[in-house]
Amino acid sequence: MDAIELRDVTKTFGRTVAVENLNLTIPQGGIYGFIGPNGAGKTTTIRLIMSILFPDSGVISVLGCPSALEAKKRIGYLPEERGVYRKMRVGAFLSFMAELKGVRSPDLIKSIGNLLERVGLGGTAGKKCEELSKGMLQKVQILAATIHKPDLLILDEPFSGLDPVSTKLLRDLILEEHGRGATILFSTHVMPQAEEICEHVIMVHQGRKVLDEKLSAIRSQYNPRIIEFDPLDPNADISAIARLPGVERIDLGDSGYKVLLVDTGDPAEAMHQIINCTTPARLELSRPRLEDIFIRLVSSSTDTTEDRKKLRAGLAHADAKEASL
């Protein structure tokens, strides 16, 4: 039995098609990243899976049930719109959420204290939820989603608003949940997060699935188009490299130059030509990133370089906005 199955699912809002003819299968025990830019249809799909919304057409199965409502005690869910009972104390809130999910344990209070300590919230059990910061509240809600050790854990943009230390804590918690056997589905528009955690990636764009593959298969399937390069002479003139056939552009970052090839560029030939232009201190192929693969998949043959730059800038803007929260 699969944990989640969608067959030919479509959802519209007026004339807007949010999800179009989506087919999706997530096996039990999988850890799947559901990725794409903001507005791609990720949250709508998750709400359909959770029976918060209902499809215009198609069939959805969750943990063998025709509705998530029939398996709700086996599901942990962190929605995109966060929410707690703000007047409740943190410990009481987590106890209440655990009891709603059927947890009955004399050690529950002790377990909650240990969990709060684990995520850096030791000593907050007696505080009211409204006294906590946004990031602290998010940790509380993540604990509420996992406290009953669900069979299926669905997280919608779980890293939103978290600092790097908290992000690592959450990543470790997700991996622990997967390690004990939980099926994980989490959505994010920050694609490096998916690369760090998931074993399988589903990419969506404008309500349509554009890729559904194991991460290992994606990396082996898509040829790298970026060459990382450092000249031996820091003052070397690299303008000749930018004019080489097959080179789309050169970007300078903190780790050196990145030479981006056109779709038809030959990495081996490009590397040979770079060596002829200037002596390198470092020259290597860069592992293809999910962001690059996504842009290649959703950019049609008629898209211009400027179109692709706008799409990449849109993803970068979303990342910057995320980091500023």
Side-chain angles (χ1 to χ4, degrees):
M1 180 184 69
D2 293 314
I4 299 173
E5 186 174 11
L6 279 68
R7 288 288 172 262
D8 303 319
V9 170
T10 294
K11 179 64 180 178
T12 61
F13 298 96
R15 295 184 178 180
T16 301
V17 180
V19 177
E20 183 177 354
N21 196 35
L22 180 61
N23 290 281
L24 180 62
T25 300
I26 299 178
Q28 287 191 356
I31 180 165
Y32 277 52
F34 197 37
I35 64 178
N38 289 332
K42 303 186 302 296
T43 293
T44 298
T45 300
I46 286 176
R47 289 174 177 170
L48 290 167
I49 292 170
M50 291 298 301
S51 297
I52 297 170
L53 298 173
F54 298 94
D56 300 339
S57 60
V59 177
I60 300 175
S61 173
V62 181
L63 295 176
C65 302
S67 168
L69 299 177
E70 298 179 24
K72 59 184 179 181
K73 289 188 176 181
R74 299 171 57 199
I75 301 172
Y77 174 46
L78 179 72
E80 183 183 36
E81 290 84 14
R82 317 299 192 221
V84 298
Y85 296 108
R86 300 185 64 83
K87 296 296 182 181
M88 289 186 72
R89 301 192 185 277
V90 172
F93 170 73
L94 290 174
S95 294
F96 175 65
M97 297 304 293
E99 290 171 7
L100 284 180
K101 294 294 187 177
V103 177
R104 302 286 188 272
S105 170
D107 297 326
L108 181 58
I109 300 301
K110 181 180 178 180
S111 297
I112 288 172
N114 291 337
L115 287 171
L116 289 169
E117 193 76 37
R118 166 72 193 283
V119 297
L121 295 179
T124 63
K127 291 185 177 182
K128 291 183 178 180
C129 291
E130 65 183 359
E131 298 177 44
L132 272 57
S133 68
K134 180 180 177 181
M136 295 167 74
L137 278 177
Q138 185 161 330
K139 293 181 186 179
V140 171
Q141 291 171 92
I142 290 165
L143 292 181
T146 58
I147 197 166
H148 60 297
K149 299 189 182 302
D151 295 326
L152 172 62
L153 181 58
I154 298 177
L155 307 169
D156 194 356
E157 297 285 359
F159 302 99
S160 173
L162 293 180
D163 60 77
V165 174
S166 298
T167 296
K168 184 181 184 305
L169 284 171
L170 175 55
R171 183 170 64 243
D172 293 344
L173 181 61
I174 291 173
L175 293 175
E176 282 185 13
E177 289 293 302
H178 180 246
R180 68 166 180 80
T183 304
I184 311 290
L185 172 64
F186 74 94
S187 76
T188 181
H189 67 268
V190 185
M191 299 190 186
Q193 293 172 347
E195 290 184 276
E196 292 178 356
I197 298 176
C198 66
E199 60 189 22
H200 196 112
V201 165
I202 303 156
M203 290 185 180
V204 289
H205 181 59
Q206 297 179 348
R208 297 186 297 273
K209 184 174 70 174
V210 297
L211 185 66
D212 186 348
E213 291 273 3
K214 287 185 176 181
L215 190 58
S216 58
I218 292 171
R219 286 172 173 163
S220 62
Q221 178 181 353
Y222 290 90
N223 292 326
R225 296 176 53 247
I226 297 177
I227 297 171
E228 296 187 2
F229 166 70
D230 286 324
L232 187 61
D233 178 3
N235 299 315
D237 182 7
I238 65 163
S239 60
I241 297 175
R243 297 191 295 270
L244 289 174
V247 172
E248 181 175 310
R249 71 172 190 273
I250 299 179
D251 295 329
L252 177 60
D254 295 336
S255 58
Y257 291 98
K258 292 184 182 295
V259 181
L260 178 65
L261 306 181
V262 299
D263 286 343
T264 56
D266 181 347
E269 178 61 24
M271 293 175 78
H272 179 72
Q273 291 178 345
I274 289 171
I275 292 173
N276 289 337
C277 288
T278 185
T279 303
R282 179 176 68 98
L283 184 67
E284 61 187 30
L285 283 175
S286 175
R287 186 177 69 180
R289 300 180 304 164
L290 289 179
E291 178 183 313
D292 299 320
I293 293 169
F294 175 81
I295 291 174
R296 290 176 63 184
L297 287 170
V298 304
S299 299
S300 69
S301 59
T302 58
D303 285 343
T304 64
T305 300
E306 188 63 29
D307 292 330
R308 297 187 182 192
K309 286 181 179 179
K310 288 180 179 178
L311 182 56
R312 192 181 297 274
L315 290 169
H317 174 71
D319 292 351
K321 181 178 179 182
E322 197 74 43
S324 67
L325 291 175

